[in-house]
Amino acid sequence: MDAEHETIRRIVGGDSRQYGVLVDRYKDRAFALASRLLGSREEAEEAVQDAFVKAFHRLADFRGDSRFGTWYYRILYNICMTRVSRRPAGSLSLDDMTSTEGELAVESNEPDSLEVISSNERREILGEELQKLPQKFQAVLTLFYIQEQRYEEIAAILEIPLNTVKSHLFRARGLLRKRIQDRYNEGMRAA
Amino acid sequence: MTDHILRETLQLVADGELAEEAARSVRLHLKTCESCRKVYQSLAQFDRLMRFVPVRSLPRDFTAGVLSRLGIQPRPPFLFRVLEHFASLVAVILVAAMGGSVWALLSLQLGHDAGSQSMSQFQPLEVVGVWMETSWDEFAGWMQHALLLLPQGQASKIFLMIILTAFVVAVIDWIVQRRGAAGRS
């Protein structure tokens, strides 16, 4: 049994204070996911807290056949989606923005802008452009890169087929690269 | 003409999601094909960048807020626990010293100490005074004995005392935490 499952065993056994260890371990990455899905810092913080409370009450049901993170992110994702679905129509419908730009970028023969822009600038631009991507793409990218979940785990969290995870990731990366390239080109034209 | 590897496949290798045998053959191909290698390096560079996308942090008291909503008393900070245990330790030493002095006084009363005065000869306040004086003498005597056992030199004595105290405090903290956990389960 690994340390995390041992911690969970102790919490379920009554040592509730140990839950703070799990919260500390996952809170920032969970916040990154919720921020991407909800777009608002305050709402994301509330969602992360709600998810931790819900996860605690359901901890006895956690079978331990996956990582706690995967199980917890699933709860968080559902909470975020419920919040999104309660919003007035038209306030956030990022999924509708899905385009084929990503695939076009893959075939692009332009020089790779990532190699030219300085590393700090790249991170900043990446962060900004990631925020503008369709929600489902933000979710897979955040789960893969920030939550460090594997394809199968992402599929379990988002309840989508494995091949959809692969295709979302592929298109999301392509789209992100394309947008960075466009930004770079605009900057070059303006200079 | 060399067959190039699909970008999707290269991405699976970069993600560590391609079966090991297939990934090995892709890596072999990358050694000889510059075109595929360039694509792979570009994908890997993008991956490295993505892992460093800035992540905003939650407030420091976030965890305490979650625990509070669950009705769980958060674990006090380590420094606070150390002070708490240190105070407990001092209290235990004082109680032990007092116990020792009571025992000494009882011996006095029973006349075991040849040539000493009987307790009945003291007024109540004097009894307390003698008791406190004896307690302090006992405690000081123990400390002197303990210090004699330590290496010579003021600095090393102080250092050793700190180490010993820290050790005792850590043991007490461990016992308290274990008992707390057992009590709740």
Side-chain angles (χ1 to χ4, degrees):
Chain A
M1 188 185 285
D2 65 22
E4 190 166 272
H5 285 93
E6 172 60 21
T7 305
I8 292 166
R9 194 191 60 76
R10 287 175 68 179
I11 297 164
V12 173
D15 188 3
S16 311
R17 273 187 187 175
Q18 290 292 325
Y19 195 56
V21 175
L22 289 181
V23 176
D24 276 336
R25 188 173 301 158
Y26 287 101
K27 62 180 183 180
D28 285 337
R29 283 181 286 176
F31 184 54
L33 177 65
S35 301
R36 302 246 177 268
L37 295 172
L38 298 169
S40 144
R41 189 187 165 91
E42 290 73 28
E43 213 179 345
E45 191 176 330
E46 278 174 25
V48 173
Q49 197 174 80
D50 288 351
F52 275 122
V53 169
K54 201 167 184 177
F56 179 82
H57 291 307
R58 289 186 183 175
L59 207 54
D61 301 333
F62 176 64
R63 293 191 304 272
D65 47 10
S66 65
R67 289 190 286 171
F68 172 79
T70 307
W71 182 76
Y72 167 75
Y73 294 138
R74 170 93 210 109
I75 294 173
L76 176 63
Y77 181 75
N78 281 337
I79 286 176
C80 290
M81 287 301 99
T82 305
R83 281 175 176 261
V84 169
S85 67
R86 281 183 193 154
R87 286 173 176 170
S91 65
L92 187 82
S93 179
L94 290 169
D95 273 0
D96 299 339
M97 290 164 57
T98 308
S99 73
T100 53
E101 289 175 89
E103 285 86 338
L104 294 173
V106 170
E107 303 304 328
S108 169
N109 288 323
E110 290 180 76
D112 196 340
S113 55
L114 287 175
E115 288 173 15
V116 187
I117 312 168
S118 76
S119 63
N120 282 343
E121 202 182 347
R122 272 181 291 193
R123 277 178 208 144
E124 204 175 300
I125 291 171
L126 265 175
E128 285 171 19
E129 291 301 328
L130 183 59
Q131 202 70 40
K132 294 177 194 164
L133 285 182
Q135 194 183 49
K136 60 185 179 185
F137 289 171
Q138 285 192 47
V140 286
L141 286 174
T142 308
L143 283 166
F144 185 76
Y145 287 111
I146 304 191
Q147 270 73 23
E148 296 178 344
Q149 301 289 300
R150 299 189 67 83
Y151 287 6
E152 273 186 22
E153 292 169 326
I154 297 172
I157 292 167
L158 303 180
E159 285 184 338
I160 52 176
L162 187 61
N163 280 336
T164 309
V165 173
K166 287 180 190 173
S167 105
H168 277 12
L169 265 173
F170 191 72
R171 291 169 69 193
R173 284 162 169 146
L175 190 52
L176 199 51
R177 291 179 84 97
K178 169 78 170 63
R179 290 190 173 182
I180 291 165
Q181 185 76 53
D182 288 348
R183 236 174 113 155
Y184 173 71
N185 291 342
E186 276 170 27
M188 290 300 283
R189 274 196 295 273
Chain B
M1 185 182 140
T2 315
D3 285 333
H4 294 302
I5 293 173
L6 285 173
R7 194 183 176 99
E8 288 93 328
T9 310
L10 290 173
Q11 186 66 68
L12 288 175
V13 176
D15 290 351
E17 293 280 352
L18 196 66
E20 190 44 48
E21 202 172 322
R24 203 178 302 130
S25 69
V26 169
R27 282 191 210 101
L28 275 175
H29 174 82
L30 291 177
K31 283 184 181 169
T32 54
C33 178
E34 197 186 343
S35 170
C36 287
R37 194 164 57 239
K38 274 189 177 170
V39 176
Y40 180 80
Q41 282 168 347
S42 165
L43 294 175
Q45 186 203 24
F46 181 79
D47 282 2
R48 277 196 298 277
L49 276 173
M50 280 300 292
R51 293 191 194 280
F52 289 102
V53 166
V55 175
R56 289 179 291 180
S57 296
L58 280 162
R60 285 173 68 98
D61 59 353
F62 177 83
T63 304
V66 172
L67 295 182
S68 163
R69 265 185 72 179
L70 290 167
I72 301 167
Q73 191 78 19
R75 203 174 174 202
F78 180 70
L79 188 65
F80 182 82
R81 296 204 317 269
V82 164
L83 288 173
E84 200 178 43
H85 298 324
F86 187 72
S88 309
L89 184 65
V90 169
V92 168
I93 291 171
L94 284 176
V95 167
M98 285 174 185
S101 61
V102 168
W103 177 78
L105 279 171
L106 283 173
S107 305
L108 202 71
Q109 191 181 23
L110 293 170
H112 288 174
D113 192 357
S116 66
Q117 291 170 288
S118 163
M119 279 293 280
S120 57
Q121 290 175 270
F122 295 112
Q123 293 300 311
L125 273 177
E126 286 176 314
V127 171
V128 174
V130 170
W131 179 60
M132 285 181 69
E133 197 181 330
T134 320
S135 300
W136 174 249
D137 287 346
E138 288 269 328
F139 181 67
W142 289 352
M143 289 306 288
Q144 271 179 349
H145 277 104
L147 287 170
L148 280 173
L149 295 174
L150 299 176
Q152 294 307 303
Q154 203 69 16
S156 59
K157 281 179 182 174
I158 291 170
F159 179 72
L160 268 167
M161 286 302 286
I162 290 169
I163 295 286
L164 276 172
T165 310
F167 175 73
V168 172
V169 166
V171 168
I172 293 173
D173 186 50
W174 182 77
I175 293 168
V176 169
Q177 296 301 322
R178 294 289 295 182
R179 283 193 62 194
R184 281 185 294 272
S185 61

PDB file of all heavy atoms in Angstrom, chain A residues 65-77:
ATOM      1  N   ASP A  65      -8.590   1.672  -6.485  1.00  0.00           N
ATOM      2  CA  ASP A  65      -8.075   1.082  -7.722  1.00  0.00           C
ATOM      3  C   ASP A  65      -7.566   2.153  -8.690  1.00  0.00           C
ATOM      4  O   ASP A  65      -7.133   1.850  -9.794  1.00  0.00           O
ATOM      5  CB  ASP A  65      -9.111   0.175  -8.396  1.00  0.00           C
ATOM      6  CG  ASP A  65     -10.485   0.822  -8.476  1.00  0.00           C
ATOM      7  OD1 ASP A  65     -10.562   2.029  -8.177  1.00  0.00           O
ATOM      8  OD2 ASP A  65     -11.458   0.136  -8.825  1.00  0.00           O
ATOM      9  N   SER A  66      -7.637   3.406  -8.277  1.00  0.00           N
ATOM     10  CA  SER A  66      -7.025   4.490  -9.056  1.00  0.00           C
ATOM     11  C   SER A  66      -6.336   5.422  -8.057  1.00  0.00           C
ATOM     12  O   SER A  66      -6.439   5.221  -6.853  1.00  0.00           O
ATOM     13  CB  SER A  66      -8.094   5.267  -9.820  1.00  0.00           C
ATOM     14  OG  SER A  66      -8.953   5.930  -8.904  1.00  0.00           O
ATOM     15  N   ARG A  67      -5.650   6.436  -8.606  1.00  0.00           N
ATOM     16  CA  ARG A  67      -5.038   7.402  -7.698  1.00  0.00           C
ATOM     17  C   ARG A  67      -6.145   8.262  -7.094  1.00  0.00           C
ATOM     18  O   ARG A  67      -7.178   8.481  -7.743  1.00  0.00           O
ATOM     19  CB  ARG A  67      -4.068   8.291  -8.478  1.00  0.00           C
ATOM     20  CG  ARG A  67      -2.818   7.547  -8.902  1.00  0.00           C
ATOM     21  CD  ARG A  67      -1.783   8.492  -9.438  1.00  0.00           C
ATOM     22  NE  ARG A  67      -2.121   8.991 -10.770  1.00  0.00           N
ATOM     23  CZ  ARG A  67      -1.458   9.977 -11.385  1.00  0.00           C
ATOM     24  NH1 ARG A  67      -0.450  10.566 -10.779  1.00  0.00           N
ATOM     25  NH2 ARG A  67      -1.799  10.375 -12.591  1.00  0.00           N
ATOM     26  N   PHE A  68      -5.897   8.786  -5.901  1.00  0.00           N
ATOM     27  CA  PHE A  68      -6.883   9.664  -5.272  1.00  0.00           C
ATOM     28  C   PHE A  68      -7.158  10.855  -6.192  1.00  0.00           C
ATOM     29  O   PHE A  68      -8.301  11.284  -6.351  1.00  0.00           O
ATOM     30  CB  PHE A  68      -6.383  10.155  -3.909  1.00  0.00           C
ATOM     31  CG  PHE A  68      -7.263  11.213  -3.306  1.00  0.00           C
ATOM     32  CD1 PHE A  68      -8.446  10.884  -2.668  1.00  0.00           C
ATOM     33  CD2 PHE A  68      -6.924  12.568  -3.409  1.00  0.00           C
ATOM     34  CE1 PHE A  68      -9.281  11.870  -2.149  1.00  0.00           C
ATOM     35  CE2 PHE A  68      -7.750  13.554  -2.883  1.00  0.00           C
ATOM     36  CZ  PHE A  68      -8.928  13.206  -2.252  1.00  0.00           C
ATOM     37  N   GLY A  69      -6.072  11.376  -6.819  1.00  0.00           N
ATOM     38  CA  GLY A  69      -6.194  12.541  -7.692  1.00  0.00           C
ATOM     39  C   GLY A  69      -7.212  12.311  -8.795  1.00  0.00           C
ATOM     40  O   GLY A  69      -8.084  13.151  -9.047  1.00  0.00           O
ATOM     41  N   THR A  70      -7.128  11.163  -9.440  1.00  0.00           N
ATOM     42  CA  THR A  70      -8.042  10.851 -10.546  1.00  0.00           C
ATOM     43  C   THR A  70      -9.491  10.847 -10.047  1.00  0.00           C
ATOM     44  O   THR A  70     -10.381  11.416 -10.677  1.00  0.00           O
ATOM     45  CB  THR A  70      -7.696   9.469 -11.129  1.00  0.00           C
ATOM     46  OG1 THR A  70      -6.304   9.469 -11.437  1.00  0.00           O
ATOM     47  CG2 THR A  70      -8.489   9.160 -12.371  1.00  0.00           C
ATOM     48  N   TRP A  71      -9.674  10.191  -8.912  1.00  0.00           N
ATOM     49  CA  TRP A  71     -11.006  10.095  -8.320  1.00  0.00           C
ATOM     50  C   TRP A  71     -11.508  11.478  -7.914  1.00  0.00           C
ATOM     51  O   TRP A  71     -12.656  11.863  -8.173  1.00  0.00           O
ATOM     52  CB  TRP A  71     -10.918   9.167  -7.103  1.00  0.00           C
ATOM     53  CG  TRP A  71     -12.189   8.901  -6.386  1.00  0.00           C
ATOM     54  CD1 TRP A  71     -13.203   8.082  -6.776  1.00  0.00           C
ATOM     55  CD2 TRP A  71     -12.575   9.444  -5.119  1.00  0.00           C
ATOM     56  NE1 TRP A  71     -14.199   8.081  -5.826  1.00  0.00           N
ATOM     57  CE2 TRP A  71     -13.839   8.897  -4.801  1.00  0.00           C
ATOM     58  CE3 TRP A  71     -11.978  10.318  -4.213  1.00  0.00           C
ATOM     59  CZ2 TRP A  71     -14.513   9.216  -3.631  1.00  0.00           C
ATOM     60  CZ3 TRP A  71     -12.651  10.634  -3.051  1.00  0.00           C
ATOM     61  CH2 TRP A  71     -13.907  10.088  -2.762  1.00  0.00           C
ATOM     62  N   TYR A  72     -10.645  12.271  -7.297  1.00  0.00           N
ATOM     63  CA  TYR A  72     -11.030  13.603  -6.830  1.00  0.00           C
ATOM     64  C   TYR A  72     -11.323  14.542  -8.014  1.00  0.00           C
ATOM     65  O   TYR A  72     -12.303  15.292  -7.993  1.00  0.00           O
ATOM     66  CB  TYR A  72      -9.925  14.191  -5.941  1.00  0.00           C
ATOM     67  CG  TYR A  72     -10.132  15.661  -5.691  1.00  0.00           C
ATOM     68  CD1 TYR A  72     -11.114  16.106  -4.814  1.00  0.00           C
ATOM     69  CD2 TYR A  72      -9.389  16.612  -6.382  1.00  0.00           C
ATOM     70  CE1 TYR A  72     -11.339  17.457  -4.621  1.00  0.00           C
ATOM     71  CE2 TYR A  72      -9.604  17.965  -6.204  1.00  0.00           C
ATOM     72  CZ  TYR A  72     -10.591  18.377  -5.320  1.00  0.00           C
ATOM     73  OH  TYR A  72     -10.820  19.719  -5.144  1.00  0.00           O
ATOM     74  N   TYR A  73     -10.481  14.495  -9.043  1.00  0.00           N
ATOM     75  CA  TYR A  73     -10.691  15.376 -10.200  1.00  0.00           C
ATOM     76  C   TYR A  73     -12.019  15.074 -10.891  1.00  0.00           C
ATOM     77  O   TYR A  73     -12.634  15.952 -11.468  1.00  0.00           O
ATOM     78  CB  TYR A  73      -9.547  15.252 -11.214  1.00  0.00           C
ATOM     79  CG  TYR A  73      -8.224  15.743 -10.704  1.00  0.00           C
ATOM     80  CD1 TYR A  73      -7.051  15.047 -10.967  1.00  0.00           C
ATOM     81  CD2 TYR A  73      -8.124  16.912  -9.939  1.00  0.00           C
ATOM     82  CE1 TYR A  73      -5.826  15.483 -10.493  1.00  0.00           C
ATOM     83  CE2 TYR A  73      -6.908  17.361  -9.467  1.00  0.00           C
ATOM     84  CZ  TYR A  73      -5.754  16.644  -9.739  1.00  0.00           C
ATOM     85  OH  TYR A  73      -4.552  17.075  -9.270  1.00  0.00           O
ATOM     86  N   ARG A  74     -12.415  13.804 -10.825  1.00  0.00           N
ATOM     87  CA  ARG A  74     -13.712  13.431 -11.413  1.00  0.00           C
ATOM     88  C   ARG A  74     -14.831  14.179 -10.669  1.00  0.00           C
ATOM     89  O   ARG A  74     -15.750  14.721 -11.278  1.00  0.00           O
ATOM     90  CB  ARG A  74     -13.888  11.914 -11.292  1.00  0.00           C
ATOM     91  CG  ARG A  74     -15.238  11.388 -11.629  1.00  0.00           C
ATOM     92  CD  ARG A  74     -15.336  10.956 -13.090  1.00  0.00           C
ATOM     93  NE  ARG A  74     -16.689  11.125 -13.578  1.00  0.00           N
ATOM     94  CZ  ARG A  74     -17.048  12.047 -14.455  1.00  0.00           C
ATOM     95  NH1 ARG A  74     -16.181  12.872 -14.969  1.00  0.00           N
ATOM     96  NH2 ARG A  74     -18.286  12.151 -14.838  1.00  0.00           N
ATOM     97  N   ILE A  75     -14.747  14.191  -9.345  1.00  0.00           N
ATOM     98  CA  ILE A  75     -15.757  14.896  -8.529  1.00  0.00           C
ATOM     99  C   ILE A  75     -15.714  16.391  -8.848  1.00  0.00           C
ATOM    100  O   ILE A  75     -16.746  17.031  -9.067  1.00  0.00           O
ATOM    101  CB  ILE A  75     -15.482  14.652  -7.018  1.00  0.00           C
ATOM    102  CG1 ILE A  75     -15.705  13.174  -6.682  1.00  0.00           C
ATOM    103  CG2 ILE A  75     -16.355  15.554  -6.139  1.00  0.00           C
ATOM    104  CD1 ILE A  75     -15.296  12.783  -5.277  1.00  0.00           C
ATOM    105  N   LEU A  76     -14.489  16.927  -8.897  1.00  0.00           N
ATOM    106  CA  LEU A  76     -14.327  18.360  -9.172  1.00  0.00           C
ATOM    107  C   LEU A  76     -14.877  18.718 -10.549  1.00  0.00           C
ATOM    108  O   LEU A  76     -15.576  19.729 -10.706  1.00  0.00           O
ATOM    109  CB  LEU A  76     -12.840  18.735  -9.073  1.00  0.00           C
ATOM    110  CG  LEU A  76     -12.485  20.175  -9.418  1.00  0.00           C
ATOM    111  CD1 LEU A  76     -13.147  21.153  -8.451  1.00  0.00           C
ATOM    112  CD2 LEU A  76     -10.966  20.385  -9.382  1.00  0.00           C
ATOM    113  N   TYR A  77     -14.572  17.876 -11.517  1.00  0.00           N
ATOM    114  CA  TYR A  77     -15.027  18.139 -12.886  1.00  0.00           C
ATOM    115  C   TYR A  77     -16.560  18.197 -12.929  1.00  0.00           C
ATOM    116  O   TYR A  77     -17.142  19.089 -13.527  1.00  0.00           O
ATOM    117  CB  TYR A  77     -14.492  17.062 -13.832  1.00  0.00           C
ATOM    118  CG  TYR A  77     -14.891  17.278 -15.272  1.00  0.00           C
ATOM    119  CD1 TYR A  77     -14.279  18.260 -16.037  1.00  0.00           C
ATOM    120  CD2 TYR A  77     -15.893  16.513 -15.860  1.00  0.00           C
ATOM    121  CE1 TYR A  77     -14.657  18.481 -17.364  1.00  0.00           C
ATOM    122  CE2 TYR A  77     -16.277  16.721 -17.178  1.00  0.00           C
ATOM    123  CZ  TYR A  77     -15.646  17.707 -17.919  1.00  0.00           C
ATOM    124  OH  TYR A  77     -16.029  17.916 -19.220  1.00  0.00           O
TER     125      TYR A  77
END
